[in-house]
Amino acid sequence: MRALPEGLDTARLCQAWIVTRVDGVTLGFTDHDRDLVVDGVTCRAGGGWSPGTRDSAAGYAPGQGAALGVLDDAGIAEAELAAGLYDGAKVALLRVDWSAPSRFVRLWTATIAAVTREGEAFTAALAGPLAALERVAGRTFTRLCDARLGDGRCGVDLAAHPGATCDKRWATCVGTFANDVNFRGFPTSPGEDFLTLYPVEGERNDGGRR
């Protein structure tokens, strides 16, 4: 649990949200009954923002949450939302002493992962900092090619192979497309059955069965 600053009057607390878009535009909202300037940002009262359900991140599990809001030309406009200007925006939730807004504590920060609309309202799905641990980075070592047929890494001219499909296997890349130089897999890597294989008398034991 996040500790509140010493001497903070819990009877005078409200919440504020500060939204920073990727283009640098910053907006603020509060559930207090008047506007507050928090951390240098004017947080509008009556902006329609409220917290939805939220799972706290524990260990390496990514924290997930939601924020609910109402479309408002003076705040979050429908056209800006439709244009994707809030995709990837940073959201900070703060607990603020409304009698002295310079006294606040930042409860959590998150990134807007997706926005869904329902009439004049919207729900922003929020992903906590640990959600970055779920992103796939780099390549996976597999026997199959990880390029897409005809893309820049593959190099196959689709016009020369109308209607062709590819099952990502080395044999197909070589036999059908003569494109072994651009194969993006590892055809000689050991498979799941590698540990159970053993030499058999009279068979070809050169590793080709892998």
Side-chain angles (χ1 to χ4, degrees):
M1 182 177 179
R2 186 65 56 87
L4 298 177
E6 185 178 352
L8 197 64
D9 187 351
T10 56
R12 296 180 178 179
L13 296 182
C14 64
Q15 294 189 125
W17 294 264
I18 295 179
V19 181
T20 304
R21 299 189 331 203
V22 294
D23 60 1
V25 173
T26 301
L27 301 93
F29 307 91
T30 179
D31 59 4
H32 190 48
D33 58 6
R34 61 181 176 85
D35 294 354
L36 300 174
V37 177
V38 182
D39 201 20
V41 178
T42 299
C43 297
R44 294 179 55 244
W49 273 65
S50 62
T53 58
R54 178 175 182 271
D55 296 326
S56 297
Y60 290 102
Q64 301 291 335
L68 313 178
V70 177
L71 296 173
D72 178 1
D73 287 340
I76 295 183
E78 180 178 5
E80 294 177 335
L81 199 66
L85 296 182
Y86 289 90
D87 295 348
K90 301 294 183 183
V91 180
L93 174 63
L94 303 95
R95 188 68 56 80
V96 183
D97 181 345
W98 54 262
S99 65
S102 61
R103 296 173 58 80
F104 64 86
V105 60
R106 191 180 302 268
L107 298 180
W108 50 260
T109 58
T111 301
I112 295 180
V115 178
T116 56
R117 291 178 49 194
E118 187 173 341
E120 294 300 313
F122 67 88
T123 300
L126 306 176
L130 294 183
L133 296 176
E134 289 193 332
R135 296 175 186 165
V136 177
R139 297 181 61 190
T140 301
F141 286 84
T142 173
R143 295 182 185 182
L144 300 179
C145 177
D146 61 5
R148 180 178 298 177
L149 181 62
D151 69 7
R153 298 175 65 236
C154 169
V156 168
D157 183 4
L158 294 180
H161 301 274
T165 60
C166 181
D167 59 8
K168 311 287 188 180
R169 296 188 305 118
W170 166 259
T172 303
C173 187
V174 175
T176 303
F177 302 105
N179 193 40
D180 52 302
V181 68
N182 288 324
F183 187 74
R184 303 299 179 177
F186 303 87
T188 60
S189 62
E192 295 179 355
D193 59 348
F194 177 70
L195 295 178
T196 64
L197 294 178
Y198 56 89
V200 177
E201 185 177 356
E203 290 192 2
R204 182 180 176 182
N205 298 308
D206 61 356
R209 293 178 61 205
R210 293 184 302 172

